[in-house]
């Protein structure tokens, strides 16, 4: 059956996540003296004492809330993708975890130790792998499964950067490294939300799942 209005609105919320996350940086970054997209991570825009930090943190919180709401849409809309048993709740929980991490980043700006949500934000690092597991050999759109593989490679590249295995300098190039990692986490939330909206189906109550178009 077709997605109901609440599910569609939730998926639209999920689709807005990368727009809010990266848009906040583009809106604030150029106007903060000394800020470098190459050298500084996104969270530096919301650190204590930075001009406009309150507005940036408000957008960070908004992106987190959008991810949490989007996860609700995922729960229903991804049912026709016939994901492996147990994968859908785990994947949904990972998206919620990403949202919680973003909310915590805005509520507890640097240098607060609670920035990022600690253990509650573990989904940031688990999501790319879960994304691949969820889409390979399932009823998900073929292009989404291919994108999931590319995205996992991007996540792997970020891991190599942070490990020191590349020529990037952890201090001079931290902004680049952090944004590569962020692309592998926040962009897929938007991509899958859009894919689910395009599929436009969900399971009918009390019946088997309807194949996605």
């Amino acid at each position: 059956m077709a997605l109901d209005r609440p599910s569609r609105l939730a998926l639209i919320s999920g689709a807005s996540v990368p727009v809010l996350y990266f848009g906040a940086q583009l809106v604030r970054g150029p106007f903060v003296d000394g800020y470098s997209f190459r050298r500084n991570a996104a969270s530096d825009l919301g650190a204590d004492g930075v001009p406009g930090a309150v507005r940036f943190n408000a957008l960070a919180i908004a992106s987190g809330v959008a991810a949490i709401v989007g996860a609700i849409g995922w729960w229903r809309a991804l049912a026709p993708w016939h994901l492996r048993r147990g994968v859908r709740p785990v994947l949904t929980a990972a998206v919620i975890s990403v949202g919680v991490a973003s909310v915590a980043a805005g509520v507890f700006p640097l240098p607060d130790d609670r920035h990022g949500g600690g253990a509650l934000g573990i989904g940031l690092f688990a999501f790319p792998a879960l994304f691949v597991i969820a889409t390979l050999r399932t009823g998900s759109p073929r292009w989404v499964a291919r994108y999931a593989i590319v995205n996992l490679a991007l996540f792997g590249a970020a891991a190599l950067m942070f490990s020191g295995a590349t020529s990037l300098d952890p201090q001079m190039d931290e902004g680049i490294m952090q944004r590569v990692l962020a692309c592998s986490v926040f962009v897929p939330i938007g991509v899958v939300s859009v894919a689910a909206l395009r599929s436009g189906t969900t399971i009918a109550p009390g019946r088997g799942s309807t194949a996605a178009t």
Side-chain angles (χ1 to χ4, degrees), residues 33-50:
D33 290 341
Y35 186 82
S36 168
F37 284 97
R38 172 186 175 183
R39 185 178 61 253
N40 298 109
S43 293
D44 291 338
L45 288 169
D48 285 344
V50 174

Side-chain angles (χ1 to χ4, degrees), residues 75 82-94 130 133-134 138:
W75 177 254
H82 303 292
L83 305 184
R84 296 175 181 82
R85 183 182 298 274
V87 169
R88 188 161 57 112
V90 173
L91 186 64
T92 303
L130 290 172
I133 294 172
T138 66

